[in-house]
Amino acid sequence: ICLISRREKVCATRLFDTGTRIYIKGIGNCIIKDKTSKKYANRIDIFFDKDIKGAKEFGIKKLEYRIIK
């Protein structure tokens, strides 16, 4: 679901246009940088870069989010 790095969190989704900034509860601010596959149109994917273990530990979650400016 979004890149969790020390500098910036990056997400992919079809819910919003690229460049949109969102706040995800428990994650923080993310910027939409890519689109997900059409079959995942109602999801937000957080990019974990090379942290495979972290991504697996995070898993699939339902979290609250909101658009920020």
Side-chain angles (χ1 to χ4, degrees), residues 3-65:
L3 158 73
I4 298 191
S5 74
R6 295 178 188 147
R7 305 179 104 195
E8 182 178 49
K9 296 172 186 101
V10 177
C11 299
T13 186
R14 289 193 171 274
L15 297 171
F16 310 109
D17 293 332
T18 55
T20 302
R21 294 187 182 276
I22 60 173
Y23 172 81
I24 301 174
K25 188 174 182 179
I27 300 296
N29 294 342
C30 293
I31 185 166
I32 308 301
K33 291 281 191 173
D34 199 6
K35 297 285 185 183
T36 54
S37 170
K38 288 182 181 180
K39 69 180 183 178
Y40 300 117
N42 294 320
R43 296 184 186 181
I44 298 174
D45 185 32
I46 302 171
F47 178 60
F48 279 84
D49 197 23
K50 296 177 183 177
D51 185 9
I52 304 300
K53 183 180 177 186
K56 287 181 178 182
E57 288 175 0
F58 184 83
I60 297 173
K61 299 180 180 184
K62 290 185 178 185
L63 300 172
E64 294 179 29
Y65 65 88

